[in-house]
Amino acid sequence: MLATYVPWLLSASGLLGVVLGVNRTLKRRENESKLLQVISFLAGAVLFAAPVAMVLYGGHSSEVSGGSILLMLLLAICLVGRALKKLPMAFIIVAVMGTGLFWLFSYIKQFSFAGDVPTQTVALVIAVLILIVFGISFVIEKTIDLFLGLISLGPVVFIVAGVALIQGLLTGLHITDHHGLLNLLKG
């Protein structure tokens, strides 16, 4: 049932992405449409959720090709890339890990095997672990931010969204079967 709506979801999101891509290409970042950014983020979230919902509620459907699902996910990343880039993942990871380690430390401190180790040593080990995790998270976050920054550029969003729009229209209007563009590219 959900699979019948995928071409139209792909077409609508593709059209939205084309408009967003043009907006990002022609305007400076501070002059971009805030409404368009919010709608694009919501559409990206729906695109992320659609394949999961299809698997959970619709089973495996032959009406949607793997190419369409990959295109949905790629377009979703393009649409939400700038918003995800603003989240400080390294700080979140370190805060969760630090809280967990200090909780674990307070829990273990009550047992006898931890009584032999000085509290300062355990606290120092936890602090060093937190610094290492922060460093790794920071490097990974910068790499992810670079990827999200590149994939959310106006021309990239425009191209991916245009392909998604064409794929959705080809399959939704039954011009081709569920493989859409792949049928046309094969000849």
Side-chain angles (χ1 to χ4, degrees), residues 42-128:
L42 294 174
V46 169
L47 285 175
F48 274 130
V52 175
M54 283 179 5
V55 169
L56 291 177
Y57 297 111
H60 190 332
S61 175
S62 62
E63 297 173 22
V64 180
S65 70
S68 291
I69 291 175
L70 288 175
L71 203 51
M72 287 173 66
L73 296 174
L74 182 61
L75 181 57
I77 293 171
C78 288
L79 294 176
V80 302
R82 284 213 178 141
L84 291 179
K85 189 178 172 189
K86 293 178 184 176
L87 292 176
M89 289 186 285
F91 293 110
I92 294 168
I93 292 169
V94 169
V96 169
M97 182 190 168
T99 304
L101 284 175
F102 281 109
W103 174 83
L104 185 64
F105 170 65
S106 68
Y107 183 74
I108 289 177
K109 188 177 171 185
Q110 297 172 1
F111 291 104
S112 62
F113 68 85
D116 300 344
V117 180
T119 305
Q120 293 84 4
T121 305
V122 174
L124 181 64
V125 168
I126 289 173
V128 168

Side-chain angles (χ1 to χ4, degrees), residues 2 4 6 18 22 27 32 38-40 46 67 78 84-85 89-91 108 128 130 133 138-139 153 174 176 180 186:
L2 289 172
T4 58
V6 168
V18 167
V22 168
K27 295 187 178 185
E32 289 178 12
V38 170
I39 293 170
S40 296
V46 169
C78 288
L84 291 179
K85 189 178 172 189
M89 289 186 285
F91 293 110
I108 289 177
V128 168
I130 288 174
V133 169
F138 190 74
V139 169
L153 289 173
H174 303 292
T176 64
K186 287 180 184 177

Side-chain angles (χ1 to χ4, degrees), residues 2-25:
L2 289 172
T4 58
Y5 297 111
V6 168
W8 302 115
L9 176 63
L10 201 55
S11 296
S13 300
L15 183 60
L16 176 66
V18 167
V19 172
L20 179 68
V22 168
N23 186 270
R24 284 187 179 170
T25 302

